[in-house]
């Protein structure tokens, strides 16, 4: 009986952690933005082009939320005109393995379902 309770406690603890991640990365765009920034620093306009289908307003909102959670950093460069770049933080880069795993699963799933 005690072993069963330990398993249930571990399951509940795991689900709580997963829910925390899902709340943080919820929505259609955050994981894609993080994945892009894991490859390189990008300007707003580059992200807007790379993350297909996102509106400018939504990109701004998502970038602000990711910055609040310290996953990305907004860097203002002293150029004329002023240039802003976004980059993954050291903390945010801990999600690189997650984005890689999601992408690999997506490739595999696409191949299984549609054969491509």
């Amino acid at each position: 009986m005690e072993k069963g309770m330990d398993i249930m406690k571990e399951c509940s603890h795991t689900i709580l952690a997963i829910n925390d991640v899902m709340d943080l990365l919820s929505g259609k765009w955050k994981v894609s933005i993080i994945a892009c920034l894991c490859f390189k620093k990008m300007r707003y306009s580059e992200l807007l082009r790379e993350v297909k289908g996102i509106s400018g307003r939504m990109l701004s909102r998502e970038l602000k939320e990711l910055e609040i959670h310290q996953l990305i950093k907004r860097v203002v460069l002293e150029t004329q005109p002023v240039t802003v770049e976004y980059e993954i933080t050291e903390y945010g880069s801990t999600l690189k393995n997650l984005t890689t795993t999601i992408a690999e699963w997506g490739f595999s799933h696409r191949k299984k379902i549609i054969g491509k």
Side-chain angles (χ1 to χ4, degrees):
M1 184 74 153
E2 192 172 300
K3 185 176 180 179
M5 292 301 287
D6 288 345
I7 290 172
M8 291 307 295
K9 196 179 234 183
E10 185 179 341
C11 180
S12 294
H13 188 69
T14 300
I15 290 171
L16 179 62
I18 289 170
N19 287 340
D20 288 345
V21 173
M22 297 302 289
D23 286 344
L24 177 63
L25 301 178
S26 66
K28 186 175 179 180
W29 310 110
K30 286 188 183 100
V31 174
S32 296
I33 293 166
I34 290 167
C36 286
L37 294 175
C38 280
F39 286 100
K40 67 175 192 162
K41 298 176 187 179
M42 298 179 90
R43 293 188 321 269
Y44 178 88
S45 59
E46 292 175 302
L47 282 165
L48 198 55
R49 272 193 307 273
E50 192 65 32
V51 182
K52 306 285 189 256
I54 192 169
S55 69
R57 183 175 178 186
M58 181 58 75
L59 178 58
S60 293
R61 183 181 310 158
E62 300 288 55
L63 289 169
K64 284 177 189 163
E65 286 184 27
L66 291 170
E67 190 176 7
I68 287 168
H69 290 286
Q70 300 175 7
L71 298 174
I72 66 167
K73 182 167 62 170
R74 182 178 187 268
V75 179
V76 179
L77 304 174
E78 295 182 27
T79 57
Q80 285 295 35
V82 172
T83 305
V84 176
E85 285 184 338
Y86 293 90
E87 62 183 80
I88 199 83
T89 62
E90 186 176 333
Y91 180 55
S93 69
T94 63
L95 293 170
K96 183 161 178 57
N97 289 339
L98 177 66
T99 61
T100 300
T101 300
I102 290 170
E104 288 170 356
W105 190 89
F107 295 139
S108 176
H109 179 68
R110 180 179 298 263
K111 187 175 183 179
K112 179 180 179 77
I113 298 301
I114 60 175
K116 291 184 180 180

